[in-house]
Amino acid sequence: MRVVIAGAGIGGLTTALMCHARGIPCTIYEAAREVREVGVGINVLPHAIRELAALGLLDELDTVGVRTRELTYLTRAGQEVWSELRGTHAGHDVPQFSIHRGRFQKVLYDAVRDRLGPDAVKVGRRLSGFIQDEAGVTAHFTDAVDGGAGQTVRAEVLICADGIHSVGRRTFYRDEGPPSWQGVVMWRGAAEWPVWKDGESMAIAGGLGGKFVLYPIAPRMGRTQLMNWVVNVRIKDPAVSTPPPDSWSRQASLATVLPHARRFAVPGMDIEGLVRASPAIFEYPMADRDPLPRWTFGRVTLLGDAAHPMYPVGSNGASQAILDARCLTDALARAEHPRAALWAYEKERLPKTAEVVRTNRIGGPERVIDEAEKRAPAGFTDIETVLSFEERKAITGGYATMTAGPQIRRVV
Ligand SMILES: Cc1cc2nc3c(=O)[nH]c(=O)nc-3n(C[C@H](O)[C@H](O)[C@H](O)COP(=O)(O)OP(=O)(O)OC[C@H]3O[C@@H](n4cnc5c(N)ncnc54)[C@H](O)[C@@H]3O)c2cc1C
């Protein structure tokens, strides 16, 4: 069985490594001209890291990322609502990683080239269409540089891991239109900054109405560390405005972001100083898409953001793509016919990820902050009198169980 993958993002690269580990030949076709370190920080949860550890990538991840120790949820004014240990500190057998998205992608890319060979990823090849017959699928890739003749490839299976604007998805759902946007913009940046707390912790201040997210994404360099931040604010009425272009490289000015960043407080962190110190600020609309009724059509299926783009809440974007890859490649290795494998994959993964998409729309675990702010808009002296421990645990623990199965978690 030969597999063709469209897209060398986190989902596509992981799928290739897992195909290789199961003896399934595959090739990736990536639209970008080169795999560059684009993006800022992401978090990858233990249930996904376990899959990467099984691929032997833990040491490489340690050289570029941070093993996350603690996550604290705060009100916008910086009052603590909930704090919990993460990864191995919470009893998991593997860590959670806070990591630069581009450096993480590079770890996967290098492993693919190393294990599958230097030609395993064809760059500058954009999936433009495909046709299927009884024996296989023929995919066409245009030359992403000049739109030229490109390349036609024959395989038994085509996996569309081509992100939120997936060509595969558009082929099956022609009338779906653009991603859904509710008026929220994310500004992101990172700066080399004096180590905050223990150098392994993250904080989220504020919920659905507006939040500030903070975490380190690289190992310490002496007394400093690359610190990632995100400001999420609803700035437009989606009924009358169109979202800004969703290019991960689109920059925003300091003057635009600072007034919004100043609305948040995190103990021990000079938010304004951090934002000012960031060499670039990126703007991206927070968007997702409705869950689909089907991902699989014959020998073609969707994976990762192509299948279930979701709000970046609860660290699940990349994590769920990795779980998709595991499920799909296991099914391919097991099934007698590729079609049966793709169906089995969809049956297992579609309902689970649809629930994550829906829950992220109402804030995911960060709903605990919204609830505290709603009940005590002017702040509190004791969170226990506002939202009991059991209530807070039910919100955050319920989300974790839904996204990753039963959790071993220790609350700080
Ligand atoms: C450049 C970039 C930067 C990002 N930065 C961040 C970030 O800072 N923080 C964050 O939380 N999330 C970020 N994301 C999103 C995050 O990586 C995903 O939500 C998550 O990792 C799921 O990954 P995926 O592989 O399904 O999709 P993606 O990571 O979107 O990868 C899809 C890949 O497919 C390629 N592609 C697209 N169309 C085609 C086509 N027609 N043919 C072939 N290839 C195609 C894209 O170039 C990309 O490499 C970024 C995504 C991208 C593409």
Side-chain angles (χ1 to χ4, degrees):
M1 185 190 314
R2 169 152 284 279
V3 170
V4 160
I5 301 167
I10 308 300
L13 290 166
T14 307
T15 306
L17 288 170
M18 289 181 174
C19 277
H20 176 72
R22 288 157 183 74
I24 304 169
C26 73
T27 309
I28 306 185
Y29 293 80
E30 162 60 43
R33 295 167 76 158
E34 54 177 331
V35 175
R36 289 186 301 123
E37 288 187 2
V38 190
V40 199
I42 59 172
N43 269 273
V44 189
L45 298 172
H47 55 291
I49 293 296
R50 189 171 299 120
E51 303 303 338
L52 302 180
L55 289 168
L57 294 173
L58 215 43
D59 288 348
E60 284 81 354
L61 293 175
D62 270 321
T63 62
V64 291
V66 174
R67 292 179 173 225
T68 319
R69 197 182 79 82
E70 188 186 348
L71 166 60
T72 305
Y73 294 111
L74 307 158
T75 62
R76 262 170 273 197
Q79 286 198 289
E80 185 173 321
V81 176
W82 179 258
S83 193
E84 63 187 26
L85 296 170
R86 308 292 291 188
T88 47
H89 303 277
H92 291 280
D93 52 346
V94 287
Q96 167 174 336
F97 270 99
S98 299
I99 196 164
H100 187 290
R101 188 247 175 215
R103 293 179 193 167
F104 177 35
Q105 185 187 21
K106 179 85 169 25
V107 164
L108 298 172
Y109 180 60
D110 288 348
V112 167
R113 285 169 51 90
D114 197 36
R115 297 176 191 187
L116 280 74
D119 292 332
V121 184
K122 317 266 190 210
V123 291
R125 292 281 177 266
R126 181 181 296 280
L127 178 68
S128 57
F130 47 85
I131 47 169
Q132 304 187 51
D133 53 48
E134 265 311 298
V137 50
T138 306
H140 189 70
F141 296 87
T142 49
D143 184 330
V145 181
D146 60 11
Q151 200 171 346
T152 297
V153 188
R154 181 87 176 149
E156 275 72 49
V157 168
L158 170 64
I159 300 170
C160 299
D162 50 347
I164 192 167
H165 296 290
S166 167
V167 167
R169 184 173 177 129
R170 201 162 59 237
T171 306
F172 299 127
Y173 297 93
R174 291 195 176 279
D175 300 328
E176 191 182 25
S180 140
W181 184 63
Q182 298 305 316
V184 177
V185 166
M186 303 185 287
W187 290 296
R188 297 161 181 257
E192 205 55 40
W193 194 255
V195 173
W196 178 69
K197 285 174 84 173
D198 52 10
E200 299 167 341
S201 291
M202 61 184 291
I204 301 176
L208 265 185
K211 67 178 174 184
F212 182 82
V213 184
L214 182 71
Y215 52 88
I217 53 171
R220 290 173 185 219
M221 303 258 292
R223 295 153 76 102
T224 66
Q225 195 170 20
L226 189 60
M227 200 69 184
N228 178 84
W229 58 267
V230 187
V231 174
N232 254 35
V233 191
R234 179 164 281 115
I235 54 158
K236 296 261 172 68
D237 177 355
V240 293
S241 326
T242 50
D246 56 351
S247 156
W248 287 102
S249 314
R250 187 180 145 88
Q251 296 200 12
S253 71
L254 183 64
T256 306
V257 182
L258 265 188
H260 298 286
R262 286 191 187 115
R263 291 168 46 201
F264 301 95
V266 171
M269 173 53 65
D270 169 10
I271 291 180
E272 178 165 344
L274 178 66
V275 171
R276 282 183 183 278
S278 304
I281 298 176
F282 299 97
E283 177 177 279
Y284 196 84
M286 190 167 98
D288 70 358
R289 290 182 184 276
D290 288 337
L292 292 174
R294 278 175 70 180
W295 298 343
T296 293
F297 296 81
R299 293 169 176 274
V300 183
T301 198
L302 311 175
L303 182 141
D305 277 6
H308 47 70
M310 55 183 65
Y311 286 171
V313 168
S315 311
N316 264 299
S319 302
Q320 293 296 327
I322 293 166
L323 295 190
D324 287 351
R326 168 70 197 264
C327 177
L328 176 54
T329 52
D330 276 354
L332 285 171
R334 228 179 16 234
E336 281 180 12
H337 195 284
R339 284 202 198 125
L342 302 197
W343 274 117
Y345 153 70
E346 173 186 309
K347 192 164 165 237
E348 163 95 20
R349 295 294 301 154
L350 191 151
K352 289 183 179 164
T353 52
E355 201 180 344
V356 184
V357 171
R358 288 192 205 99
T359 312
N360 282 6
R361 285 183 175 174
I362 54 166
E366 294 155 27
R367 209 160 51 75
V368 75
I369 306 169
D370 291 311
E371 200 53 41
E373 290 188 332
K374 194 171 82 191
R375 294 190 194 184
F380 45 80
T381 44
D382 179 7
I383 183 63
E384 194 57 31
T385 61
V386 176
L387 201 57
S388 73
F389 176 84
E390 287 308 324
E391 287 176 295
R392 286 174 284 151
K393 189 173 166 209
I395 296 172
T396 54
Y399 180 85
T401 304
M402 184 264 295
T403 56
Q407 300 289 293
I408 315 158
R409 285 145 55 95
R410 291 193 201 119
V411 175
V412 181

